[in-house]
Each structure stands twice: as structure tokens, then as C-alpha cells.
Amino acid sequence: MKPIRIGVIGVSNRGEDLIKEFHNNIDDATVVAGMDVRDAHLDQFRQSVGPDAFVTKDYRELAAHPDVDAIIVASPDNFHEEQGLAVLEAGKHLLLEKPMAITVEGCDRLLAAHKKAGVTFGLGLSMRYMPMFQTMKDVIDSGDIGDVKAYWCNHYVGKGGHFYFHDWHAVRANSTGLLLQKGTHDLDVMHFLTGKFTRRVVAFGSLDYYGGDYPNDLHCPDCAEKETCPEVQLGWPEHFSLCAFRKEIDVEDNHVLIMELEDGIKATYQECHFTPDYHRDHIVIGTKGRLHNEQATNKVTLTTRKGTSDAVYHIKAEANGHGGGDPRLCRDFIRAIREKRDMLSDPHSARMSVAVGVAAHDSLRASGKLVEITRPQV
């Protein structure tokens, strides 16, 4: 059986992570083509996968290439819809990085195209595959905490400046906002663990630390304050070293989201981008007990109301991307193609996490307006 031949749109950063998984770690897949807008990225891509790899700066050319069976889209978020549609319309299997799109309408257009194409379509929601959250899912499904009634998630984004405010992420036109861009993982895990989707939201947020009056074209290496700036970013490519206090920044860096899920589950999600630490806490409370992940110590703690089923689940630390989620995501994509089935990270669920992120930004930008969320009609 021939390996699945994979093309990658956006071969640096996140694309590079996935290229390593598919090309080096999966026997049933090989990366044969790449698209990027930067020559340096394409040169590095050929060094990684071989000098005979097909390269192009036109995603349409890659989508139409006859020697490509499946395509990964790992470009910036505002290109996901356009490029994902091109892949589906070309009849190629698609693994689309999260978020699915930066609008709900874009997600629904992708769902419609998928229905017509009849190919495998999965999303890069790799946290679903992490052993930590797989363990939590098993405990919840076992009934040990009873019926889920409350869910609290706190996300401490301690490297927010490094990852989100020195580049394209910090502008609404590119990402809608960070409750969508960064929060998609956690919002999806909340849906995954409970088996329920969000019905309505209220959110509050603001830009409390980043942004400011510095020029939009100021880069950290050229700044007179680089020796004293707490957010200086040196040694990174130019497109990742823009000033984190520049004028154009218009996404929030501090958020509180209140959610009501199906079956009346009450939930909160808090995301702050200037904390000193970097981890996420998921706390799920049911009628019989509470489940809490402790990411820093790689364990999940079960506490029951009567103390009869208390337990601590120690999760083996994995160096692979997203705590071991990335390799499992990539293998699921290849198996789904071979077995002609849906992936665990399915597009309908991905659309619903986008819907929550979009609704949350609509709410907070309208001073906490209540926003209802609907299922797709596709």
C-alpha cells in the first residue's frame, strides 16, 4: 500500500511541527509538496523533506497538484476559510489548523463544501488527543463525578507577548480576537469533555497591558528601549518581532467568559495574556464529585463528595507537541483517510468552538451583551 502523499500550505511554525510528525514519524504518510509565501521557508522545507519536493507560492497550484492526496492548511487564521475551500473543491483530504475560520459564516461554507466533496476533513484540535484530557473524558464518562453541572477553565498565557502580540495575531482583521484564536482549544475541550455545546454567552474583556503608541513598523532589534523593555523579542524572524506596544494592536489581552451549555451546564472561561506562568486548569464539577487537571504536575485529581472514589491519575509527560496530542492527531488523520471515517476532531465540533469565540467577542465588544449560539444548518 502506497503512503498517503501530503502537501502543506504554510510550511513554517505550526506547519513545520506537523511536517515533522507526518514525514518522520508515520510510516503510512510522506510529505511531498509545500506552499509558502517566503523563499526562506520553502528552502527550509526542502532541506527537511528532500530536494525533490514540489514547492510553490500559490496555494491553488498545490491544491490542484495530481501527486498530492491530502493537504494540511497551517497558514494564519484569516486564510483558513479561503485555502480550506480550495482544498475541498479540489477533492483532497484536508487537515485544517484551528480555528476552522475566523467567522461562523466561514465555518458553514467549509461544512457545505465538505458535504459536497465527500473527503476526510479534520481539524488541528490536538488537545482532544492529549492523554490528560483523554483521561478526564474517561472518568467523566464512567459516571464517577455524576452529571456534570459546572465547568471552570482558567488559562494563564504567560508567554502571551512572545506568541500573540509581536505578530499578526494582535490585529482583529487577522484573528477576530484571542478568545477565538487562543481559546478555541479550551472551548473545544469543554465541549468534548461534557459532550454538550454552548447555547449562549456573556463576556467581558479589554486590552489592559499590550498595545500603545509605538509605531506599527517598529521591530524589537531596532528599538532604543530593547535593553529595558519587559517584552523585547530578539533572535526571532522579523515578522515575529514587531513591537508589542504598537498602535495597531486591537485585540483584548484579558477576558472573562460566562457560558451556558446544553442541559443547563454553567461554565466560565478566563484567559489572561500577561500572567507570569503558562498553563491551563480545567475543573469539572458533577453531582457526585469534582475533576481537576493539574497541568504543571501532569496529573488529574478526582475528588468525590463521599470520598469513596477519590483518585489521582498520573499522566506520563510527553515531549511531543501539545503534550502528546500532535502525533495522535496526525495518526488519526491518516487512519480516517484509510478507513473513510470521521476524525475525533470533527468539523462540526470545530465550528461550534468558533461560534463560541465569535459570540464572546461580539458580547464583550457590546459591553457584555447576551449572545445566543445556534447549530449549523448544513
Side-chain angles (χ1 to χ4, degrees):
M1 184 179 297
K2 294 182 178 179
I4 302 295
R5 300 167 299 180
I6 294 174
V8 182
I9 296 175
V11 299
S12 68
N13 303 305
R14 181 59 178 153
E16 187 176 7
D17 294 339
L18 296 176
I19 288 166
K20 290 176 182 178
E21 289 296 339
F22 280 110
H23 198 68
N24 299 332
N25 300 330
I26 300 178
D27 293 336
D28 199 18
T30 181
V31 178
V32 299
M35 175 270 162
D36 206 285
V37 296
R38 291 185 170 86
D39 290 325
H41 292 170
L42 292 175
D43 290 343
Q44 179 60 44
F45 171 75
R46 274 184 159 157
Q47 291 179 26
S48 298
V49 306
D52 295 331
F54 173 80
V55 296
T56 179
K57 292 184 176 181
D58 185 346
Y59 71 86
R60 298 176 187 85
E61 188 174 13
L62 180 60
H65 199 285
D67 294 333
V68 172
D69 305 309
I71 294 177
I72 303 164
V73 173
S75 52
D77 300 358
N78 54 315
F79 297 106
H80 287 187
E81 176 191 350
E82 176 183 342
Q83 295 172 348
L85 287 172
V87 172
L88 292 172
E89 289 166 1
K92 303 295 175 67
H93 304 292
L94 172 62
L95 181 60
L96 179 60
E97 249 309 296
K98 65 87 188 168
M100 189 174 178
I102 61 172
T103 67
V104 177
E105 294 80 8
C107 292
D108 289 344
R109 284 187 283 269
L110 284 161
L111 287 176
H114 175 227
K115 184 177 181 180
K116 183 177 180 180
V119 296
T120 296
F121 180 15
L123 276 295
L125 294 165
S126 48
M127 281 177 55
R128 284 187 170 221
Y129 297 86
M130 288 173 59
M132 178 168 286
F133 294 109
Q134 287 284 323
T135 297
M136 293 183 75
K137 179 67 171 172
D138 289 343
V139 174
I140 292 169
D141 288 350
S142 74
D144 282 347
I145 66 168
D147 297 329
V148 176
K149 295 298 181 182
Y151 198 132
W152 307 333
C153 179
N154 298 324
H155 194 167
Y156 309 86
V157 193
K159 297 181 181 179
H162 292 292
F163 295 150
Y164 300 100
F165 287 90
H166 286 286
D167 62 7
W168 58 268
H169 293 89
V171 178
R172 292 183 190 184
N174 298 330
S175 64
T176 294
L178 295 175
L179 275 177
L180 171 60
Q181 205 291 327
K182 179 61 171 169
T184 298
H185 271 312
D186 292 296
L187 298 172
D188 177 67
V189 165
M190 295 171 84
H191 291 166
F192 171 61
L193 293 185
T194 63
K196 306 297 178 183
F197 291 120
T198 303
R199 296 177 55 245
R200 52 184 179 172
V201 303
V202 170
F204 302 94
S206 53
L207 185 60
D208 292 339
Y209 180 74
Y210 296 104
D213 297 323
Y214 286 79
N216 291 332
D217 59 353
L218 177 62
H219 291 262
C220 290
D222 306 321
C223 183
E225 300 175 35
K226 63 184 178 183
E227 299 299 330
T228 57
C229 178
E231 297 296 329
V232 66
Q233 185 142 290
L234 302 174
W236 290 53
E238 185 179 35
H239 51 287
F240 289 123
S241 66
L242 286 168
C243 177
F245 301 105
R246 64 192 187 278
K247 295 179 182 178
E248 69 176 354
I249 293 177
D250 62 355
V251 300
E252 299 79 10
D253 58 16
N254 186 14
H255 323 77
V256 176
L257 171 59
I258 303 169
M259 310 154 64
E260 183 178 64
L261 279 61
E262 295 163 341
D263 285 0
I265 298 171
K266 310 303 185 295
T268 60
Y269 174 67
Q270 299 183 95
E271 177 184 302
C272 182
H273 284 259
F274 47 90
T275 63
D277 42 359
Y278 196 155
H279 62 94
R280 40 171 60 94
D281 291 338
H282 284 254
I283 301 170
V284 191
I285 302 173
T287 53
K288 296 180 181 179
R290 173 172 59 84
L291 197 62
H292 179 197
N293 80 303
E294 297 177 42
Q295 194 170 19
T297 56
N298 289 304
K299 65 182 181 181
V300 172
T301 301
L302 167 65
T303 306
T304 57
R305 293 180 63 193
K306 294 185 177 182
T308 55
S309 301
D310 292 2
V312 176
Y313 302 88
H314 294 278
I315 311 300
K316 181 181 178 181
E318 297 193 27
N320 304 75
H322 288 97
D326 282 354
R328 291 169 174 82
L329 166 74
C330 295
R331 293 189 183 97
D332 190 29
F333 182 54
I334 297 302
R335 286 195 298 266
I337 293 172
R338 292 295 192 196
E339 299 170 12
K340 298 181 180 179
R341 60 166 176 81
D342 293 334
M343 290 179 62
L344 178 64
S345 55
D346 66 287
H348 178 87
S349 297
R351 185 267 192 195
M352 293 304 294
S353 64
V354 169
V356 178
V358 170
H361 283 295
D362 288 345
S363 174
L364 70 87
R365 292 167 187 167
S367 301
K369 175 184 176 182
L370 178 67
V371 180
E372 303 282 346
I373 297 172
T374 60
R375 295 282 195 108
Q377 300 301 311
V378 178

